[in-house]
Amino acid sequence: MGLKNKSVVKAGHVKLMSAVALSAVMAAAPSMAQTKEPIKLGLLIALTGGDAINGLNGGAGVRLAVDEINKAGGVLGRQIVIVSADDQSDPTAAVNEARRLATQEKVDFIFGPQASQRTLAVLPVLTAAKIPQISTSGSLDINPKIGPYNFSTQSNAADQGYHMAHYLTDVMKAKKVSILTDNGAQALSAVPYIKKELEKGGATVTATQEFPFRSEDKTAQLLSLKAGNPDAMILWTNTPEDLGVVLNNMADMGWDGLPISGPNATVMQAAGAAKIADKALFTKVAGVAYRGWTYCPGEDVANSPYVKFKERLKAANPDKYKDLLPTISSYAYDGIMIMKAAIEATGGTDPEKLKTWIEGNADKVATVSGPMKASAESHFLAGRDVMTPILDPLMTNEQGLFKRADCK
Amino acid sequence: MWQEYAIILVRGIGLGSVYALMAMSFNIVKVSSGILNFAQGNMLVLGGMIAYAATAYFGALSPVIWFLVMIASALIIGVVVTIQGYLTLLPLSHSEDQQSWLITTMAVSIIIGAVLLLAQGPNALMVRSIFPNIPLFGMRVPAPFLLAIGLAIFWYFALQLFMSKTLVGLAISALWQDPVAARAAGLKVRRLQLLAFGISGLVVGSTGFVAAPIITLASDSAVAYVLNGFVAVVIGGVASNTGALIAGPLVGVVAMLATFKIGGEFQGLFSMLMLVAILLIRPQGIFGDTAARRV
């Protein structure tokens, strides 16, 4: 073989190597591009309709979480982009928007909806599409069988009901209790569990009544309950107007001394209710709060995760912070942070891997509302231990934390 | 025990008076132009928002200021509804049979709801009454319930006098009987129809202001008032203010009694049952008239 032939062979070798290298680069290019594609988060909340107050606050928490994640470099180097959807506080609209997010927008995961009726409506769509979902719904009809990829950062109705009932029986020593709820799915699903827990605590239920959301007057319901002569009341409201109207109606009837035990929403909505109801009417009102929002005298809470979260939320929303309920924003924020941790740990957005990881590892994620945990049997991340009763939801310390009812 | 029924009666009539006032404001527009103005629910809410704004601006209102602002509220909403009426009637210039008002009145309602949502957000505005609660039957009744009853009676007599004792009112009544003949007789139909829109605005504007502490002031709350007002119109009889005055409180009291005796879940059901029963037994409503029509 002559020199010329050698160089021909060498040139051919170089060409071959170049082609291989080029092919390798070409082959790698799409996958590299793919891994840098943003993660699409479908924000399926109520921007309009009766539940838009939840959407406003939940959306603020989600946006803060996404902003912090993206500023810190994203998840696995990928930025999160929000695809917004308005469920209009309506289950039918929620289904349409869920379908759009799943099939047209092809989102990687979804935050929302924020009410049980709507979450129950969208579950078939999102389960069929295998889209991981963080909702804030507490109905007991929501479970891993019908929603394997749905997790909720809202405490479920039974766990809230447990605290509501046992506050009255164990702390207030009530023997006869009446129940008044709105007609939402969460409240109605809680009633049987509350009755069971009241009976376990040695109390009897004198009567049960319900009212439509934002109805102008609850006097008829209250008069009917008063006839049973209860010594305490379970009151499940989800809007500040309803809470304020019930307290005013009770005061008009001269029934304002009755101890009341409410759910998580009572804690969140009390400040709004105080716009129409006198503050004195709240002194006998208890609610159920996430432990992260609470304090006992003597505890150093100035740097608690929730207090720091509120500061960041305020900095991110300087103009509208006064209209926000940081409590609602906080567990929305926690939901996104749990999903972020799951994506990082599993290396992607595979729904099966995310589901398994969250079921086993949610408690390892630092959250601001309180320690969250899930299992294969329950996807309610805020379990019974995360919640605690508080008394007088208007009485907060300088950091805006609620005083626990079990403080010594 | 009787005190409980008495309280239910007073509060039911008070809340029902708001429905009655809605029904009366429906009636006057219906009489003049055959239109059911679906935007009136939001006009009621706007009246309530004026009460909220007045409290925010002036602080606790004195009764005199409250009365003056109530008149201002009625006038403002009256002008707004007149403009809305003009826009609604505009495409109807050439045919009375067009049904475009269905779309235009609903569109105005949706636009107002959307503007309210953008302006104030999803939260309901809450207004405290400047008047103390009234002791009655061993309990207390918020003054706006009683004021709403008084306002319903006032507007009933004012409208009855206007419609039966003034030339303009009689002319509007003539439109209900035969608009073509009224036009042929030289009546200025459009002007009368706009006046009717304006009067309905006065009614809902004053109602929203007076009842602000006991109604829900939110971007999505108007539908319930339109629905209850409509039920009162049908039960009382279309175009009958006497029917509206009776049917509105009837709806309010029956809903509260059903809640008290049977349960809150049946509150809406009984109103609808009453509506169905009336439509089956007396389709023209309790005080409605049947009219012969050449076919």
Side-chain angles (χ1 to χ4, degrees):
Chain A
M1 195 179 281
L3 188 62
K4 191 179 173 184
N5 286 348
K6 264 186 182 175
S7 62
V8 169
V9 170
K10 220 174 190 176
H13 189 71
V14 168
K15 278 182 183 171
L16 181 68
M17 291 295 284
S18 301
V20 169
L22 192 63
S23 305
V25 169
M26 294 288 279
S31 64
M32 283 169 69
Q34 199 172 22
T35 55
K36 294 299 175 190
E37 270 182 13
I39 292 172
K40 284 178 135 185
L41 159 59
L43 185 58
L44 181 55
I45 57 177
L47 301 176
T48 54
D51 198 37
I53 187 167
N54 257 324
L56 177 76
N57 292 292
V62 168
R63 287 195 175 84
L64 178 63
V66 168
D67 197 38
E68 288 180 0
I69 291 167
N70 285 344
K71 277 182 183 160
V75 188
L76 303 172
R78 299 165 67 184
Q79 295 283 293
I80 297 178
V81 292
I82 293 175
V83 181
S84 210
D86 180 11
D87 69 28
Q88 299 172 32
S89 310
D90 173 52
T92 309
V95 170
N96 291 338
E97 285 295 77
R99 208 166 270 140
R100 178 175 71 83
L101 291 174
T103 57
Q104 291 178 31
E105 299 290 350
K106 299 194 185 307
V107 297
D108 294 294
F109 72 100
I110 281 177
F111 175 87
Q114 292 182 277
S116 300
Q117 293 98 318
R118 302 191 308 270
T119 299
L120 282 163
V122 304
L123 277 184
V125 175
L126 299 185
T127 302
K130 291 194 171 184
I131 294 187
Q133 175 194 13
I134 297 283
S135 70
T136 61
S137 305
S139 169
L140 294 161
D141 295 328
I142 301 167
N143 58 57
K145 280 183 188 166
I146 64 163
Y149 309 108
N150 170 69
F151 291 84
S152 174
T153 52
Q154 172 67 276
S155 176
N156 72 30
D159 287 336
Q160 292 188 61
Y162 172 88
H163 287 295
M164 291 163 69
H166 284 280
Y167 170 75
L168 292 183
T169 57
D170 303 352
V171 180
M172 302 308 294
K173 308 294 180 197
K175 292 293 172 199
K176 291 193 292 180
V177 179
S178 59
I179 300 175
L180 177 61
T181 71
D182 63 39
N183 60 359
Q186 188 188 25
L188 294 180
S189 76
V191 171
Y193 290 86
I194 292 172
K195 283 182 174 172
K196 199 165 74 180
E197 293 301 332
L198 286 169
E199 282 162 13
K200 275 187 198 168
T204 53
V205 176
T206 54
T208 303
Q209 269 280 11
E210 68 177 61
F211 57 84
F213 280 108
R214 284 179 166 174
S215 51
E216 295 86 355
D217 194 75
K218 280 89 173 171
T219 308
Q221 285 91 339
L222 291 166
L223 285 171
S224 148
L225 294 178
K226 196 181 179 190
N229 198 26
D231 42 35
M233 180 159 69
I234 294 283
L235 173 62
W236 197 305
T237 59
N238 271 306
T239 70
E241 305 89 89
D242 285 333
L243 179 58
V245 167
V246 170
L247 295 179
N248 277 341
N249 289 167
M250 290 179 76
D252 291 341
M253 293 162 54
W255 208 26
D256 44 320
L258 192 77
I260 289 173
S261 183
N264 192 211
T266 300
V267 178
M268 298 184 286
Q269 313 287 12
K275 288 178 184 168
I276 50 167
D278 287 337
K279 290 185 177 176
L281 299 176
F282 291 83
T283 53
K284 290 283 180 77
V285 177
V288 180
Y290 287 70
R291 284 192 174 271
W293 310 345
T294 66
Y295 79 103
C296 273
E299 288 178 1
D300 179 18
V301 288
N303 294 309
S304 80
Y306 177 67
V307 171
K308 291 291 167 194
F309 164 79
K310 283 175 65 175
E311 289 170 3
R312 298 199 303 278
L313 187 70
K314 188 174 184 179
N317 302 276
D319 298 329
K320 62 178 183 181
Y321 182 76
K322 63 177 177 20
D323 297 323
L324 289 178
L325 295 169
T327 45
I328 298 177
S329 305
S330 71
Y331 55 72
Y333 176 94
D334 285 341
I336 301 302
M337 288 306 184
I338 288 170
M339 193 59 86
K340 176 219 171 209
I343 294 170
E344 278 179 341
T346 60
T349 54
D350 180 80
E352 294 297 339
K353 288 180 183 170
L354 289 176
K355 167 180 149 333
T356 308
W357 190 89
I358 295 174
E359 284 173 351
N361 302 281
D363 56 338
K364 296 182 179 70
V365 182
T367 48
V368 296
S369 307
M372 303 231 175
K373 193 178 180 181
S375 68
E377 290 75 37
S378 174
H379 285 186
F380 288 107
L381 290 152
R384 188 175 295 176
D385 297 340
V386 184
M387 311 304 287
T388 184
I390 61 109
L391 183 60
D392 192 347
L394 291 182
M395 198 176 68
T396 55
N397 71 355
E398 58 186 300
Q399 286 89 20
L401 300 176
F402 304 97
K403 189 180 170 187
R404 289 195 293 275
D406 60 0
C407 292
K408 288 171 183 169
Chain B
M1 192 66 180
W2 69 268
Q3 291 97 329
E4 292 168 357
Y5 286 102
I7 284 294
I8 283 174
L9 206 61
V10 170
R11 287 184 180 245
I13 292 173
L15 211 51
S17 295
V18 176
Y19 308 152
L21 286 156
M22 279 296 291
M24 285 184 219
S25 71
F26 274 137
N27 277 340
I28 185 138
V29 174
K30 180 75 181 166
V31 162
S32 69
S33 55
I35 288 171
L36 267 178
N37 185 6
F38 291 109
Q40 278 176 196
N42 271 318
M43 298 298 175
L44 176 89
V45 173
L46 283 179
M49 287 187 173
I50 292 175
Y52 176 84
T55 312
Y57 187 77
F58 294 112
L61 304 178
S62 69
V64 175
I65 300 285
W66 179 89
F67 184 74
L68 293 175
V69 181
M70 181 194 69
I71 291 170
S73 169
L75 291 172
I76 291 167
I77 302 300
V79 170
V80 172
V81 177
T82 307
I83 294 168
Q84 185 230 334
Y86 177 75
L87 295 172
T88 304
L89 292 166
L90 205 56
L92 301 177
S93 304
H94 303 294
S95 168
E96 297 295 341
D97 297 329
Q98 290 174 3
Q99 304 299 322
S100 63
W101 59 266
L102 268 171
I103 302 298
T104 46
T105 57
M106 277 187 193
V108 169
S109 179
I110 291 167
I111 289 166
I112 294 172
V115 170
L116 291 178
L117 182 66
L118 286 172
Q120 67 154 74
N123 301 331
L125 295 179
M126 291 184 262
V127 180
R128 281 182 188 244
S129 173
I130 63 156
F131 301 104
N133 292 351
I134 313 293
L136 216 57
F137 310 118
M139 297 181 200
R140 289 179 306 180
V141 177
F145 281 96
L146 303 175
L147 289 170
I149 296 171
L151 191 70
I153 294 168
F154 165 78
W155 274 118
Y156 171 74
F157 283 110
L159 289 173
Q160 289 295 95
L161 280 174
F162 173 72
M163 297 296 274
S164 60
K165 301 287 181 196
T166 66
L167 272 178
V168 177
L170 288 167
I172 290 176
S173 299
L175 292 180
W176 175 238
Q177 288 172 17
D178 195 333
V180 178
R183 194 188 297 265
L187 293 182
K188 299 201 180 303
V189 174
R190 277 289 175 272
R191 207 174 283 178
L192 291 170
Q193 288 172 331
L194 285 178
L195 180 68
F197 266 93
I199 292 169
S200 80
L202 294 177
V203 176
V204 283
S206 56
T207 307
F209 186 89
V210 168
I214 56 168
I215 61 174
T216 307
L217 302 175
S219 57
D220 62 336
S221 60
V223 178
Y225 299 110
V226 168
L227 199 64
N228 282 310
F230 179 72
V231 170
V233 165
V234 175
I235 291 175
V238 177
S240 167
N241 282 342
T242 307
L245 190 69
I246 303 292
L250 190 66
V251 171
V253 171
V254 167
M256 288 193 85
L257 271 178
T259 300
F260 180 58
K261 293 307 292 179
I262 308 172
E265 59 269 43
F266 297 101
Q267 191 170 337
L269 177 71
F270 271 77
S271 301
M272 288 301 129
L273 282 178
M274 274 170 60
L275 183 69
V276 171
I278 285 290
L279 287 174
L280 285 173
I281 299 163
R282 195 176 159 79
Q284 70 272 32
I286 299 172
F287 291 89
D289 291 326
T290 49
R293 189 164 65 95
R294 185 176 294 166
V295 290

